[in-house]
Amino acid sequence: MMKRKNFLILVTLCILIFGALISVNLITKPSLSQAVSESDEGNALAEEDQQMVEPPPVEEPPAEPAKDPFIVVIDPGHGGEDPGAEGASGSYEKDFTLAVSLKVVQLLEDVPDVEAHMTRETDIFLSSETRDRPNFANKLDADLFISIHANTFADPTVTGTETFYYHDHSLGLANIIHRHVAKATGFRDRGVSQENFFVLRDTTMPAALLEIGYLTNPADEQVMLTEEFQQSVAEAIVDGIKEYLGL
């Protein structure tokens, strides 16, 4: 009887211990749904931390407003009933100046930030009495005015390239353009001078008048009438314009 009683006590103790172990395990071990929930919560916190450490997006700077182009007026000297100087071979200054000017404008069309205009594009007469040339540039509110000419002198041996300005604010332009053009012509450098020409006096913007060479010099005229020379001079004028405008 004692053995049976002891056996029952032992079985009861085992059942109590086993029950206690099961209870502890259920308490400390999370359920599957709880584990999934905690995992999702951990992922959410990790994503939140990642978002917090990511740098804010860089804002693009506002686009700069488009700049107005520089307006450059090219003035072919003379024209129409005013032929200008007559060359040694009978050529006319008005034809030479128009040919060079057209080349200058064609080159300027490929220069960003420059808008080129001509006082005349064909063989037409522009009156000096009504000041057609400076008025044209002033109405456009131009930034630069360049008048292109060829020179003349009674002595056919006289040669050279020279540039004129009138207002003090035009001296810088005259010096830069002259340096480029004198180098391109290869003629005697006659320098830069101040002169009271109406196209220089009546224009409000920096202005220069170029005397490329002497058509009355037979040797110079022969060179000046060539396509190669005119193209070279046109390129030199454009280089001077670009340098002056900082382009």
Side-chain angles (χ1 to χ4, degrees):
M1 187 68 178
M2 183 62 67
K3 291 181 179 181
R4 179 181 175 83
K5 185 178 181 180
N6 290 339
F7 176 77
L8 291 174
I9 293 172
L10 180 62
V11 169
T12 301
L13 287 174
C14 289
I15 291 172
L16 289 174
I17 293 171
F18 184 75
L21 290 173
I22 292 174
S23 297
V24 171
N25 190 45
L26 288 174
I27 292 172
T28 57
K29 184 176 181 181
S31 64
L32 178 61
S33 60
Q34 183 180 358
V36 172
S37 175
E38 289 178 355
S39 176
D40 291 344
E41 183 179 353
N43 291 337
L45 290 173
E47 290 178 1
E48 184 177 348
D49 291 341
Q50 185 178 6
Q51 291 175 357
M52 290 179 61
V53 298
E54 286 182 356
V58 179
E59 295 184 2
E60 293 292 333
E64 294 184 2
K67 296 190 303 180
D68 291 334
F70 293 105
I71 298 177
V72 177
V73 172
I74 304 298
D75 173 41
H78 308 281
E81 64 191 58
D82 174 20
E86 183 175 348
S89 70
S91 64
Y92 289 124
E93 180 183 0
K94 67 175 184 176
D95 298 324
F96 170 79
T97 61
L98 182 59
V100 174
S101 297
L102 287 169
K103 290 177 173 59
V104 171
V105 170
Q106 185 177 19
L107 290 170
L108 286 175
E109 289 175 352
D110 295 328
V111 179
D113 301 323
V114 169
E115 180 181 309
H117 297 265
M118 297 177 69
T119 56
R120 68 180 181 95
E121 298 180 5
T122 57
D123 184 21
I124 61 172
F125 174 73
L126 298 175
S127 173
S128 59
E129 294 182 2
T130 57
R131 300 297 194 260
D132 292 341
R133 299 170 194 270
N135 288 342
F136 176 80
N138 292 338
K139 287 179 181 178
L140 283 173
D141 193 22
D143 295 286
L144 295 180
F145 177 90
I146 298 174
S147 190
I148 298 176
H149 289 257
N151 225 329
T152 180
F153 200 71
D155 183 352
T157 64
V158 173
T159 184
T161 299
E162 54 191 327
T163 301
F164 298 98
Y165 74 99
Y166 178 73
H167 296 289
D168 290 342
H169 66 242
S170 298
L171 178 57
L173 172 66
N175 282 331
I176 290 173
I177 293 286
H178 179 79
R179 170 164 47 82
H180 285 274
V181 174
K183 182 178 179 180
T185 65
F187 299 152
R188 175 188 170 190
D189 187 343
R190 303 180 71 91
V192 175
S193 304
Q194 189 174 30
E195 190 64 55
N196 189 24
F197 296 134
F198 81 91
V199 292
L200 302 178
R201 183 187 65 245
D202 295 348
T203 43
T204 58
M205 70 292 305
L209 186 149
L210 312 177
E211 293 282 5
I212 306 298
Y214 283 79
L215 287 174
T216 47
N217 183 308
D220 290 356
E221 181 205 32
Q222 186 176 2
V223 175
M224 291 168 65
L225 297 182
T226 64
E227 187 79 14
E228 293 77 13
F229 178 89
Q230 293 173 9
Q231 185 67 29
S232 177
V233 168
E235 291 173 0
I237 293 172
V238 171
D239 287 343
I241 292 171
K242 290 165 61 178
E243 179 181 338
Y244 181 79
L245 295 176
L247 300 176

